[in-house]
PDB file of all heavy atoms in Angstrom:
ATOM      1  N   ALA B 518     -11.879  -8.108 -18.115  1.00  0.00           N
ATOM      2  CA  ALA B 518     -13.014  -8.890 -17.612  1.00  0.00           C
ATOM      3  C   ALA B 518     -13.254 -10.085 -18.534  1.00  0.00           C
ATOM      4  O   ALA B 518     -13.431 -11.211 -18.082  1.00  0.00           O
ATOM      5  CB  ALA B 518     -14.261  -8.021 -17.526  1.00  0.00           C
ATOM      6  N   LEU B 639      23.056  -2.496  22.222  1.00  0.00           N
ATOM      7  CA  LEU B 639      22.905  -2.044  23.606  1.00  0.00           C
ATOM      8  C   LEU B 639      23.953  -2.684  24.505  1.00  0.00           C
ATOM      9  O   LEU B 639      24.578  -2.017  25.340  1.00  0.00           O
ATOM     10  CB  LEU B 639      21.491  -2.365  24.114  1.00  0.00           C
ATOM     11  CG  LEU B 639      20.357  -1.533  23.490  1.00  0.00           C
ATOM     12  CD1 LEU B 639      18.999  -2.034  23.965  1.00  0.00           C
ATOM     13  CD2 LEU B 639      20.530  -0.048  23.815  1.00  0.00           C
ATOM     14  N   GLY B 725      11.010  13.625  33.651  1.00  0.00           N
ATOM     15  CA  GLY B 725      12.352  14.095  33.976  1.00  0.00           C
ATOM     16  C   GLY B 725      13.449  13.076  33.723  1.00  0.00           C
ATOM     17  O   GLY B 725      14.562  13.207  34.225  1.00  0.00           O
ATOM     18  N   LEU B 742       9.973   9.640  10.314  1.00  0.00           N
ATOM     19  CA  LEU B 742      10.362  10.688  11.254  1.00  0.00           C
ATOM     20  C   LEU B 742      11.438  10.252  12.242  1.00  0.00           C
ATOM     21  O   LEU B 742      11.952  11.076  13.004  1.00  0.00           O
ATOM     22  CB  LEU B 742       9.134  11.184  12.027  1.00  0.00           C
ATOM     23  CG  LEU B 742       8.177  12.083  11.249  1.00  0.00           C
ATOM     24  CD1 LEU B 742       7.052  12.576  12.142  1.00  0.00           C
ATOM     25  CD2 LEU B 742       8.929  13.266  10.635  1.00  0.00           C
TER      26      LEU B 742
END
Side-chain angles (χ1 to χ4, degrees):
Chain B
L639 290 174
L742 285 184

